[in-house]
Amino acid sequence: QTEIVEIFGSDYNSSDTINFFNSYSEINDLFPSQIGLLTLLENIDLSGNQIKGNMPTELGRLTFLLELKFFSNQVSGGIPTQIGQLTQLTDFSVNDNHISGQLPSQIGCLVALQILHINSNSLTGTIPSQINKLTNLTDLFLGENSFKGTLPDISSLISLTILNLVMNQLSGTIPKSIVNCDSLIRFALKNNSFSGTIPVEIGSLTTLEDIDFSENKFEGYIPTEISGLTKLTAFSLDNTHLMLSSGAFQDSVCSKITSCGNTWILQSSCSKCIGAAESPTPSPSKSEVPYPTSDSNYFKTKIIIYFVSILSVFKNISPR
């Protein structure tokens, strides 16, 4: 196992060090505060090691930093507010650690940021509204944390291709301003408490290939505009209360659905949806299912049932 001090050298000479790539090097050490002395650093990659301790506030001194990656470690504590001083940072990937606390509002100062991977940590609180300032962002992974509250306005994230918010405690509705994210390819909200209807504006996101709205509290009808998403290859709706409306667009919408187990799909002839629900679905009203007065087999079956029931009664009361 290697300690960070062995890699940098004990004097942390900052004269010519601009790259620090030591991923998967079996480093087992605390995150050193001395790293702030390497002021010319442009790239740090310490991913896949066993680094422990808190993220040092001295990281804020590395104002030339372009990439800061230390995913798959054991880093704990919060994200320091000094992170907002890294205005040239394009990649901040710290997923799969034990980072806790709230995502600081200073994250909005990282105006050059393209990749934000902070999934699989223990972050809490709400997603700061300042995230809408990250107009160059392409990848936003906030999943597998404990974020609460609603999804803030992200209408300025016009370069966003992946939005992953899975396995949090988020609620509220999908904002209609999602229509501005017209580069979106993957949209994952699985296992939250989002509610309301799916906005029809989602049908304008023609680059979408993968939607996962499973395990939420969505209700109402799946918008027919979904049928216009010609690149969509995966559309998961497991454990929601969404319905497929009848009409000319039913088959084209149904063809987009790849998973709808336990989803209340009504008024549908979709082979993927019929029988998929394991939990009871609402009974259709009499106006939706007319009484089968013309079905002679129906009455024959009922007569046989009644006849057998009567025989059983007489058998039980007959003298022995």
Coordinates of all heavy atoms in Angstrom, one line a residue, residues 18 21 39 41 74 80 102 111 133 155 161 171 176 199 210 231 254 276 320:
I18 N 1.8 19.5 -12.7 CA 0.5 19.9 -13.2 C -0.4 18.7 -13.3 O -1.6 19.0 -13.4 CB 0.7 20.6 -14.6 CG1 1.3 19.6 -15.6 CG2 1.5 21.8 -14.5 CD1 1.3 20.1 -17.0
F21 N -1.9 11.7 -11.6 CA -2.7 10.6 -12.0 C -2.2 9.3 -11.2 O -1.2 8.8 -11.6 CB -2.6 10.3 -13.5 CG -3.2 11.4 -14.4 CD1 -2.3 12.1 -15.2 CD2 -4.5 11.8 -14.3 CE1 -2.8 13.1 -16.0 CE2 -5.0 12.8 -15.1 CZ -4.1 13.5 -16.0
T39 N -0.1 24.4 -6.5 CA -1.0 25.4 -7.1 C -1.1 25.4 -8.6 O -2.0 26.0 -9.2 CB -0.6 26.8 -6.6 OG1 0.8 27.0 -7.0 CG2 -0.8 27.0 -5.1
L41 N -1.5 22.6 -10.3 CA -2.1 21.4 -10.7 C -3.3 21.7 -11.6 O -4.1 22.6 -11.4 CB -2.7 20.6 -9.5 CG -1.7 19.6 -8.8 CD1 -2.4 19.0 -7.6 CD2 -1.3 18.5 -9.7
Q74 N -12.9 6.2 0.1 CA -13.6 6.2 1.4 C -13.6 7.6 2.0 O -13.6 7.8 3.2 CB -13.0 5.2 2.3 CG -13.0 3.8 1.8 CD -12.3 2.8 2.7 OE1 -12.3 2.9 3.9 NE2 -11.5 1.9 2.1
P80 N -16.4 21.1 0.7 CA -16.1 22.4 1.2 C -16.6 23.5 0.3 O -16.6 23.3 -0.9 CB -14.6 22.4 1.3 CG -14.1 21.4 0.3 CD -15.2 20.3 0.3
Q102 N -24.7 18.8 2.9 CA -25.5 19.4 1.8 C -24.5 19.7 0.6 O -23.3 20.0 0.8 CB -26.2 20.6 2.2 CG -27.3 20.3 3.3 CD -28.2 21.5 3.5 OE1 -28.2 22.5 2.8 NE2 -29.0 21.4 4.6
V111 N -18.6 27.4 -13.4 CA -19.3 27.7 -14.7 C -18.8 26.9 -15.9 O -19.4 26.9 -16.9 CB -19.3 29.2 -15.0 CG1 -20.2 30.0 -13.9 CG2 -17.9 29.7 -14.9
K133 N -27.0 27.4 -13.0 CA -25.9 28.3 -13.6 C -24.9 27.5 -14.4 O -24.1 28.1 -15.1 CB -25.2 29.1 -12.5 CG -26.2 30.0 -11.8 CD -25.4 30.8 -10.7 CE -26.3 31.8 -9.9 NZ -25.6 32.5 -8.9
S155 N -33.7 24.9 -16.5 CA -34.0 25.3 -17.8 C -32.8 25.9 -18.6 O -32.8 25.9 -19.8 CB -35.1 26.4 -17.9 OG -34.7 27.5 -17.1
T161 N -27.1 16.1 -21.3 CA -27.4 14.8 -22.0 C -27.9 13.7 -21.1 O -28.7 12.9 -21.5 CB -26.2 14.3 -22.8 OG1 -25.1 14.0 -22.0 CG2 -25.8 15.3 -23.9
S171 N -39.5 14.9 -4.4 CA -40.9 14.9 -4.6 C -41.3 16.1 -5.5 O -40.5 16.7 -6.1 CB -41.6 15.1 -3.2 OG -41.1 16.3 -2.6
K176 N -42.2 21.9 -16.2 CA -42.4 22.0 -17.6 C -41.2 22.6 -18.3 O -41.0 22.4 -19.6 CB -43.6 22.9 -17.9 CG -44.9 22.2 -17.5 CD -46.1 23.1 -17.8 CE -47.4 22.4 -17.4 NZ -48.6 23.2 -17.7
P199 N -45.4 15.8 -17.9 CA -45.7 17.0 -18.8 C -45.7 16.6 -20.2 O -44.8 15.9 -20.7 CB -44.7 18.0 -18.4 CG -43.6 17.2 -17.8 CD -44.2 16.0 -17.1
D210 N -33.6 7.0 -23.4 CA -33.9 6.2 -22.2 C -34.6 7.0 -21.1 O -34.1 8.0 -20.7 CB -32.5 5.6 -21.6 CG -32.7 4.6 -20.5 OD1 -33.8 4.6 -19.9 OD2 -31.7 3.9 -20.3
K231 N -36.3 8.1 -31.1 CA -35.0 7.5 -30.7 C -35.2 6.7 -29.3 O -34.2 6.1 -28.9 CB -33.9 8.6 -30.5 CG -33.6 9.2 -31.8 CD -32.4 10.2 -31.6 CE -32.0 10.9 -32.9 NZ -30.9 11.8 -32.7
C254 N -47.7 2.7 -26.7 CA -47.5 1.4 -26.0 C -46.2 0.8 -26.6 O -45.4 0.1 -25.8 CB -48.6 0.4 -26.3 SG -48.5 -1.1 -25.4
A276 N -49.7 -7.4 -16.6 CA -48.4 -7.0 -16.0 C -48.5 -6.6 -14.5 O -47.6 -6.7 -13.7 CB -47.7 -5.9 -16.8
R320 N -79.8 -38.4 7.7 CA -78.8 -39.5 7.6 C -79.5 -40.8 7.9 O -80.2 -40.9 8.8 CB -77.6 -39.2 8.5 CG -77.0 -37.9 8.2 CD -75.9 -37.6 9.2 NE -75.3 -36.3 8.9 CZ -74.0 -36.2 8.6 NH1 -73.2 -37.2 8.6 NH2 -73.5 -35.0 8.2

